[in-house]
């Protein structure tokens, strides 16, 4: 199986998160430091909650890697939850402490979260059974899978980065971001914002939200750079890369909108202002001077930077709660608050990078196949040479 796919397991306060990635070719050298750095990036951001002070997420590889190199079998990674120690009574795998479990029971569902519908659907009276899996902690496992995808893409000179363009009312959700600007974003800045003055305004927004017991969403941009022409396909609905990317990004917790390139703005402009004119130059080959399409035409990469914009709603766990109902008594009750983030837009950006990396790694596997990196590289080079000669 040469497609790049993954499956995660794990509850937020259970023993560990795990992810199994299949379709990784043999011979891919993995950089453990770089992979752990991805997990660390996900934990950062002004406005994160107390949990991030407890966890120091690190990958424990349990399968598919030998001597730092993949061997073609599924790669399995676990990320232990340090906080499980404090939650053993309520989240033990084989035994529960009745008092602890009752104290940590979730009875008043959070509007906007899956608590209530998950409780009804899976017939769980303790909504914690739903909360635990729905928590955005699961994204640590996705970032681990994404880290493998990034390692694979890097072998072919493809890089992925993200930045935050708005938090609450600060910044501009539609701000265009070009690759050189993206490279200038300070990865260790509080919100990984596109520019410093906007970042200050974003920090002020988070402070105000904290004081008000509120939460905030925002918008982020993810770019992929160095892609070949021809990933994805126009011939069938589910092979179109834009659709696959939208699904992957939309599946990230709290993301409620996805756009490729100028996808939202172009709806209100005439065609001549939306499409990217095509030129041919002897040395450069097929080129464009604009990238409003965001690197995809007909669901196929055109060699320009892939531009994905994601819009995140405010996290539904508010300190001041929201109108809800106690599922036992069915009487009005504020939704339960437990430790959460005020805003997590930069972390969401890291998760979106991972999801985009996974979709692109899958598209690369689909196009170039091979069981080893060497074989995949031979196929890649032959195709790139042929495409250049077109
Ligand atoms: C998160 C871990 C969680 C939350 C957050 C993200 O840990 P805890 O519930 O122990 O505080 O901080 O989850 C949510 C925002 C959510 O809605 O569940 C993480 O590792 O990213």
């Amino acid at each position: 199986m040469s497609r790049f796919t993954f499956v995660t397991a794990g509850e937020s306060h259970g023993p560990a998160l795990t992810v199994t990635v299949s379709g990784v070719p043999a011979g891919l050298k993995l950089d453990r430091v770089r992979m752990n750095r991805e997990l660390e990036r996900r934990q950062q951001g002004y406005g994160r909650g107390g949990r991030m002070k407890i966890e120091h997420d690190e990958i424990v590889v349990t399968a598919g890697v030998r001597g730092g190199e993949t061997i073609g079998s599924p790669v399995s990674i676990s990320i232990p939850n340090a906080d499980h120690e404090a939650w053993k009574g309520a989240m033990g795998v084989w035994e529960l402490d009745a008092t602890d479990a009752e104290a940590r029971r979730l009875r008043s569902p959070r509007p906007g979260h899956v608590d209530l519908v998950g409780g009804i659907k899976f017939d769980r009276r303790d909504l914690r059974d739903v909360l635990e899996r729905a928590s955005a902690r699961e994204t640590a496992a996705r970032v681990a899978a994404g880290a493998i995808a990034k390692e694979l893409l890097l072998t072919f000179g493809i890089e992925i980065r993200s930045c935050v363009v708005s938090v609450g009312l600060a910044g501009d959700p539609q701000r265009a971001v070009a690759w050189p600007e993206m490279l200038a974003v300070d990865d260790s800045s509080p919100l990984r914002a596109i520019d410093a003055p906007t970042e200050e305004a974003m920090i002020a927004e988070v402070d105000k939200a904290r004081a008000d017991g509120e939460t905030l969403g925002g918008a982020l941009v993810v770019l992929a750079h160095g892609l070949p022409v021809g990933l994805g396909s126009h011939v069938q609905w589910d092979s179109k890369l834009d659709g696959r990317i939208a699904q992957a990004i939309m599946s990230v917790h709290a993301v409620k909108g996805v756009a490729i390139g100028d996808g939202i703005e172009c709806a209100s402009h005439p065609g001549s202002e939306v499409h990217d004119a095509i030129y041919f130059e002897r040395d450069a080959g097929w080129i464009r001077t604009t990238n409003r399409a965001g690197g995809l035409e007909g669901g196929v990469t055109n060699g320009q930077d892939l531009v994905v914009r994601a819009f995140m709603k405010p996290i539904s766990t508010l300190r001041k709660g929201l109108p809800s109902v106690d599922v036992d008594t069915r009487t009005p009750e504020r939704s339960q608050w437990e430790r959460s983030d005020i805003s997590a837009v930069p972390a969401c950006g890291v998760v979106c990078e991972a999801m985009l990396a996974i979709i692109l790694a899958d598209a690369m596997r689909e196009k170039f196949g091979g069981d080893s990196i060497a074989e995949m590289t031979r196929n890649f080079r032959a195709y790139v040479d042929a495409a250049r000669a077109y």
Side-chain angles (χ1 to χ4, degrees), residues 12-13 42 48 51-52 83 110 113 134-137 139 315 317 338-341:
S12 181
H13 302 97
R42 194 201 70 91
R48 297 306 303 274
R51 180 74 182 272
M52 293 305 104
D83 209 19
R110 295 160 295 174
H113 224 285
S135 166
R137 176 124 192 92
T139 60
I315 288 165
T317 316
E338 59 176 64
R339 180 183 59 197
S340 184
D341 305 320

Side-chain angles (χ1 to χ4, degrees), residues 42 82 101 120 123 129-130 179 181 203 226 229 256 262 287 296:
R42 194 201 70 91
I120 295 169
D123 192 20
D129 287 347
V130 181
W179 184 250
E181 281 181 292
I203 289 173
V229 175
K256 300 302 279 183
D262 292 356
I287 56 162
L296 285 170

Side-chain angles (χ1 to χ4, degrees), residues 254-278:
V255 171
K256 300 302 279 183
V258 184
I260 308 276
D262 292 356
I264 298 215
E265 288 193 351
C266 71
S268 45
H269 288 265
S272 59
E273 290 174 18
V274 166
H275 299 294
D276 304 305
I278 299 170

